[in-house]
Amino acid sequence: MVVHVDPEARGDERGALLAFLDAERGGIRRALLGLSDQAAATRPSASELSLSGLLKHVRLTEQSWLERATGTAPEPAEGETYADQEHGYELVGEETVASELAAWEAVARRTEKFIHAAETLDATFALPDAPWFPPGQRVSLRWLLLRLITETARHAGHADIIRESLDGAVAFELVAKERGEAWGEEWG
């Protein structure tokens, strides 16, 4: 993480977890600073990952976890499997980096509102029926936040590598750019 997360108010576990999640979201948002949709869709390595694809993936991931936790997740179509889900890592149709950023911001606000409204982070919800989860297991809202932090952080690291591969911009340089500050020795 290249930005400081302020310490939480004593006993504010929710605030601390949400702050760390938002800091990781920021890493992905910053990796997209100043790029066109075309540049953000570039895949500069042997991987199929692009910055716009990562953006869409983290938005969909947070959205799907929020839907599971709130009990609003849509049922899969008859016979649909996880392997059938296309375009989870690429923008299609009218989707743009700007529209995905706006959609992710809306999901983030819903996540924060849900977490702040929850009676306790010990409240649980069922994990989905998927081959990588144990059947019938329930997890807490605390687990949900930690899962979102780790998932987003993992992809923020990918985003750093992809962005540096595209134009040489590194995370600290992008933090300076976001703040409107000059990138120089004081950052190094």
Side-chain angles (χ1 to χ4, degrees):
M1 175 181 323
V2 297
V3 296
H4 174 71
V5 176
D6 287 330
E8 75 279 11
R10 186 176 173 94
D12 183 15
E13 181 183 17
R14 293 170 208 241
L17 293 169
L18 288 168
F20 273 90
L21 175 56
D22 198 54
E24 297 304 337
R25 289 182 191 124
I28 295 172
R29 288 189 303 260
R30 278 187 299 280
L32 290 153
L33 276 177
L35 294 180
S36 67
D37 284 358
Q38 182 180 6
T42 302
R43 296 173 176 154
S45 72
S47 169
E48 289 294 314
L49 294 178
S50 69
L51 289 173
S52 58
L54 282 175
L55 170 61
K56 183 174 181 177
H57 172 70
V58 294
R59 192 263 306 162
L60 289 171
T61 298
E62 184 168 341
Q63 180 178 314
S64 68
W65 278 113
L66 180 61
E67 289 169 347
R68 286 182 191 107
T70 60
T72 60
E75 292 296 320
E78 182 67 33
E80 181 182 39
T81 67
Y82 285 95
D84 294 329
Q85 297 174 5
E86 293 183 57
H87 308 298
Y89 282 95
E90 66 180 331
L91 303 187
V92 294
E94 299 296 315
E95 295 173 335
T96 64
V97 168
S99 70
E100 281 299 308
L101 284 169
W104 194 21
E105 180 65 23
V107 170
R109 298 300 73 83
R110 288 195 311 270
T111 298
E112 291 164 8
K113 184 177 178 182
F114 172 69
I115 292 299
H116 282 299
E119 188 173 322
T120 175
L121 292 180
D122 294 326
T124 65
F125 62 96
L127 284 176
D129 183 23
W132 47 87
F133 292 127
Q137 191 172 59
R138 297 184 67 81
V139 294
S140 69
L141 297 184
R142 181 178 298 100
W143 183 97
L144 166 69
L145 286 169
L146 292 168
R147 181 72 191 116
L148 289 174
I149 291 166
T150 58
E151 175 81 12
T152 307
R154 178 174 183 248
H155 292 310
H158 294 142
D160 283 344
I161 293 166
I162 293 169
R163 178 59 188 257
E164 188 172 358
S165 297
L166 289 175
D167 64 4
V170 296
F172 286 117
E173 179 180 357
L174 294 168
V175 169
K177 183 176 183 173
E178 178 183 52
R179 294 177 179 173
E181 298 173 1
W183 164 247
E185 290 184 23
E186 68 276 7
W187 281 89

